[in-house]
């Protein structure tokens, strides 16, 4: 691996001693995410250097050249064999969170997500009363809360039954919700503060590739529905649709997607 400094190590796991001829047998193998010089994030299964882990001093056995939507968690399939590895490359199976038994929903990341949701941080960031610089620095928070939907049993459906809890116990609602993205789009089209609207537009375009279908599809439906005029209870149009905003959103999403796939092809 030749990374810039990053690190999302999933904890070292000793290679199986039951297969003495297996690649890496008898070694401590680390699952590690590295930010490459291209700023793409790749995953590696490596024997980490004890002094400079996560550098080209590691012994890499397998790597996964992740797309943007695969950077948050290691992929189960699609791994490639490095020079020191042996075919076939492995498939991964998640076994849970590295924490004491019973503490799966009391990790630092879960406490952070709970704090953000309980204190309305997302509504503050994506509403129209915040400064654009706050929005521009919040993309990683939105991605983090989106990733939290897939952890600890958060439901796939999002705002199920009209409630933003994600189903099950209350802690499972501590993640990004479809209603948050609907609020963001409303801010984009309200133009109460043009600078904030523009910045939230950029944020939505940036996070869309990494959203699961439970978030991406409601956002796309919200965008599509905004094409029609707003009507009051009597069916009378109160404001025109947002054709210009929808067109701009579609254009920038398409351009961002093209750049993403070009980057994957060049790697």
């Amino acid at each position: 691996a030749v990374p810039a400094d990053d690190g999302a190590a999933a904890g070292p796991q000793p290679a199986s001693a039951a297969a003495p001829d297996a690649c890496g047998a008898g070694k401590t193998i680390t699952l590690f995410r590295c930010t490459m010089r291209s700023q793409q994030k790749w995953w590696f299964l490596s024997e980490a250097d004890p002094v400079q882990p996560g550098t080209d001093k590691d012994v890499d056995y397998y790597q996964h050249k992740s797309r943007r939507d695969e950077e948050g968690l290691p992929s189960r399939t699609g791994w490639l064999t490095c020079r020191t590895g042996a075919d076939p490359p492995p498939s991964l199976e998640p076994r849970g969170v590295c924490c004491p038994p019973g503490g799966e929903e009391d990790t630092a990341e879960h406490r952070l997500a709970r704090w953000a949701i309980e204190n309305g941080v997302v509504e503050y960031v994506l509403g129209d009363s915040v400064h654009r610089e706050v929005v521009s620095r919040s993309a990683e928070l939105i991605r983090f809360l989106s990733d939290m939907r897939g952890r600890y049993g958060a439901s796939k459906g999002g705002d199920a039954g009209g409630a933003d809890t994600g189903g099950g116990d209350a802690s499972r609602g501590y993640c990004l919700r479809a209603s948050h993205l609907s609020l963001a789009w409303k801010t984009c089209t309200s133009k109460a503060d043009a600078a904030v609207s523009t910045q939230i537009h950029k944020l939505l375009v940036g996070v869309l590739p990494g959203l699961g279908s439970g978030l991406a599809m409601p956002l796309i439906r919200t965008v599509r529905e905004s094409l029609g005029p707003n009507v009051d209870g009597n069916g009378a149009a109160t404001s025109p649709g947002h054709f210009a905003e929808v067109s701009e959103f579609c254009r920038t999403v398409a351009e961002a997607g093209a750049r993403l796939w070009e980057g994957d092809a060049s790697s």
Side-chain angles (χ1 to χ4, degrees), residues 102 196 201:
V196 169
H201 180 277

Side-chain angles (χ1 to χ4, degrees), residues 178-219:
S179 57
H180 292 143
L181 299 175
S182 296
L183 171 63
W185 182 250
K186 180 180 179 180
T187 303
C188 284
T189 56
S190 69
K191 302 296 185 181
D193 184 324
V196 169
S197 296
T198 299
Q199 203 61 54
I200 293 182
H201 180 277
K202 291 179 180 179
L203 184 149
L204 287 176
V205 171
V207 302
L208 181 59
L211 298 179
S213 60
L215 289 175
M217 294 310 297
L219 172 60

Side-chain angles (χ1 to χ4, degrees), residues 13-245:
Q13 298 293 327
S16 172
D21 295 328
C23 177
K27 305 291 186 180
T28 297
I29 304 301
T30 299
L31 174 61
F32 204 83
R33 186 184 69 183
C34 294
T35 300
M36 312 305 288
R37 290 177 179 143
S38 64
Q39 298 306 304
Q40 292 179 300
K41 291 180 172 61
W42 293 359
W43 289 91
F44 290 85
L45 285 166
S46 310
E47 181 186 349
D49 183 82
V51 178
Q52 295 179 302
T55 68
D56 56 4
K57 296 184 180 296
D58 292 349
V59 179
D60 299 329
Y61 294 105
Y62 303 99
Q63 66 180 14
H64 190 283
K65 300 181 178 180
S66 303
R67 298 192 305 269
R68 183 79 59 84
D69 59 335
E70 299 172 322
E71 293 177 350
L73 293 172
S75 296
R76 301 188 183 197
T77 59
W79 288 79
L80 302 175
T81 304
C82 299
R83 187 184 310 171
T84 51
D87 287 325
S91 297
L92 305 187
E93 180 182 348
R95 292 295 181 89
V97 182
C98 294
C99 62
E104 292 82 2
E105 296 190 357
D106 194 35
T107 61
E109 62 182 3
H110 207 78
R111 290 196 296 270
L112 175 60
R114 181 167 61 242
W115 175 86
I117 296 301
E118 288 182 345
N119 289 278
V121 174
V122 180
E123 289 83 354
Y124 177 74
V125 168
L126 299 180
D128 57 12
S129 60
V130 70
H131 194 276
R132 64 183 182 86
E133 290 298 329
V134 175
V135 179
S136 68
R137 289 165 170 78
S138 300
E140 287 304 318
L141 171 65
I142 301 303
R143 292 191 181 98
F144 163 70
L145 291 174
S146 174
D147 289 344
M148 289 299 292
R149 284 175 59 86
R151 305 185 190 187
Y152 318 138
S155 73
K156 298 179 181 179
D159 304 344
D164 283 355
T165 61
D169 58 72
S171 66
R172 293 177 179 175
Y174 299 138
C175 56
L176 192 65
R177 305 164 184 163
S179 57
H180 292 143
L181 299 175
S182 296
L183 171 63
W185 182 250
K186 180 180 179 180
T187 303
C188 284
T189 56
S190 69
K191 302 296 185 181
D193 184 324
V196 169
S197 296
T198 299
Q199 203 61 54
I200 293 182
H201 180 277
K202 291 179 180 179
L203 184 149
L204 287 176
V205 171
V207 302
L208 181 59
L211 298 179
S213 60
L215 289 175
M217 294 310 297
L219 172 60
I220 292 172
R221 283 196 296 269
T222 297
V223 172
R224 182 184 62 194
E225 290 168 359
S226 70
L227 281 169
N230 295 320
V231 296
D232 59 21
N234 298 319
T238 57
S239 63
H242 299 286
F243 180 80
E245 291 84 355

